[in-house]
């Protein structure tokens, strides 16, 4: 398939993990890329690997939680791609563990700053260029924004806010030719974040309890989220707008 021929896609957190996989799949289907990441060494490795696959890519080191850095980065990348910004994937995100009582205020603020403010700031910086010829934004919500996950107070709250922001932006921008959706993954076992969350299960019993919430009988795989993100970003999803698109093995259906 060549669904993204002639399109330019921006992926935050694009140097590693699922962000890298999304970037690579978009590139393999014809998109040119801007990958953004806080990790400079990972950006350099990712850029080399993507170019070796014949993908046109520019890389930008940025902290998505920093308003000044985001504004400067987007003004540079928009100039570099001659203003043709078609797709924004707000993938950058972090997890944190704790109840409301045990979550320190600094940790709370950091999760909000990356997951929520980062999504807001990158969208704000991309929209003026995107409005010129239409486009699409895919945010990263989570089932954790729909149901409470034990010991993840800040993460759940940040993802619920991203779902709200997604719906709000869809209302303001759909009439301008910009579709905004969010993907809401369930537990994805083969990502750094998935491993981090599963690592909090101190016993076999806790792991079984987590798994028992998944009617499909297993956790998800990164490639299953990547495929859904590409669908949302593609013209095949032309009437999908303001959606919190669950990819969760029916975890939130029961
Ligand atoms: C990482 C992704 O946002 C999903 S959080 C899922 C936690 S649980 O369902 O395994 O408890």
């Amino acid at each position: 398939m060549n669904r993204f021929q002639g399109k330019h896609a921006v992926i935050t957190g694009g140097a590693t993990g699922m962000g890298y996989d999304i970037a690579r799949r978009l590139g393999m289907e014809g998109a040119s890329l801007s990958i953004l990441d806080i990790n400079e060494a990972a950006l350099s490795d990712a850029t080399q690997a993507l170019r070796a696959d014949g993908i046109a890519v520019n890389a930008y080191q940025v902290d998505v939680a920093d308003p000044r850095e985001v504004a400067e980065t987007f003004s540079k990348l928009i100039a570099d791609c001659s203003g043709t910004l078609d797709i924004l994937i707000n993938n950058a995100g972090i997890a944190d563990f704790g109840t409301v009582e045990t979550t320190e205020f600094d940790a709370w603020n950091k999760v909000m700053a990356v997951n929520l403010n980062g999504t807001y700031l990158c969208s704000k910086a991309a929209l003026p260029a995107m409005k010129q010829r239409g486009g699409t934004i895919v945010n990263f919500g989570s089932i954790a924004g729909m149901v409470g996950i034990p010991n993840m107070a800040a993460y759940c709250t940040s993802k619920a806010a991203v779902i709200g922001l997604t719906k709000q932006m869809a209302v303001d921008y759909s009439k301008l030719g910009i579709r905004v959706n969010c993907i809401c993954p369930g537990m994805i076992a083969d990502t750094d974040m998935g491993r981090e969350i599963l690592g909090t299960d101190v016993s076999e019993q806790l792991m079984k309890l987590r798994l028992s919430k998944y009617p499909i009988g297993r956790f998800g795989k990164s490639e299953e989220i990547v495929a859904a993100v590409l669908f949302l970003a593609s013209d095949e999803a032309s009437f999908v707008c303001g959606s919190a698109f669950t990819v969760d093995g029916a975890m939130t259906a029961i």
Side-chain angles (χ1 to χ4, degrees):
M1 282 190 284
N2 234 6
R3 290 176 289 179
F4 303 102
Q5 197 66 47
K7 307 265 190 194
H8 187 79
V10 178
I11 304 97
T12 70
T16 62
M18 199 183 288
Y20 176 80
D21 292 343
I22 293 166
R24 185 169 181 280
R25 283 281 311 273
L26 285 166
M28 295 307 274
E29 288 201 40
S32 60
L33 308 177
S34 295
I35 55 170
L36 278 52
D37 208 285
I38 199 164
N39 183 336
E40 201 157 15
L43 264 180
S44 157
D45 291 348
T47 306
Q48 268 189 29
L50 292 167
R51 287 188 181 147
D53 280 330
I55 296 166
V57 55
N58 287 323
Y60 305 87
Q61 200 260 330
V62 63
D63 175 358
V64 295
D66 184 310
R68 191 184 47 83
E69 283 188 31
V70 170
E72 283 174 9
T73 298
F74 272 80
S75 92
K76 186 166 185 338
L77 85 80
I78 287 164
D80 292 344
C81 70
S82 311
T84 58
L85 202 174
D86 303 292
I87 297 165
L88 170 64
I89 313 288
N90 279 312
N91 159 79
I94 57 172
D96 186 70
F97 304 96
T99 63
V100 162
E101 286 176 285
T102 62
T103 300
E104 296 297 337
F105 190 50
D106 283 353
W108 174 274
N109 281 336
K110 187 164 186 206
V111 172
M112 297 306 156
V114 177
N115 295 0
L116 175 58
N117 297 357
T119 299
Y120 152 73
L121 290 170
C122 292
S123 301
K124 184 178 177 67
L127 280 163
M130 203 175 263
K131 279 199 303 198
Q132 303 304 313
R133 58 179 206 167
T136 189
I137 298 177
V138 182
N139 295 329
F140 261 75
S142 167
I143 58 158
M146 300 172 149
V147 295
I149 305 296
N151 211 38
M152 294 191 84
Y155 184 76
C156 285
T157 307
S158 72
K159 293 301 185 180
V162 168
I163 292 170
L165 176 62
T166 300
K167 293 182 181 190
Q168 196 288 327
M169 286 171 62
V171 169
D172 278 345
Y173 289 98
S174 53
K175 57 185 167 293
L176 300 174
I178 299 172
R179 292 183 303 104
V180 186
N181 292 288
C182 67
I183 184 94
C184 292
M187 166 56 70
I188 307 304
D190 60 344
T191 62
D192 286 345
M193 189 181 288
R195 282 185 284 270
E196 197 183 349
I197 295 170
L198 291 174
T200 65
D201 291 344
V202 289
S203 66
E204 183 89 349
Q205 198 188 353
L206 269 180
M207 168 76 97
K208 280 200 179 127
L209 184 64
R210 192 184 294 277
L211 187 58
S212 71
K213 293 192 288 182
Y214 284 77
I216 203 168
R218 65 173 177 84
F219 297 135
K221 294 179 276 188
S222 179
E223 67 196 44
E224 293 173 312
I225 303 304
V226 174
V229 169
L230 262 75
F231 165 69
L232 290 174
S234 77
D235 291 341
E236 290 176 296
S238 49
F239 199 52
V240 185
C241 195
S243 166
F245 197 89
T246 53
V247 184
D248 71 345
M251 193 274 198
T252 51
I254 54 169

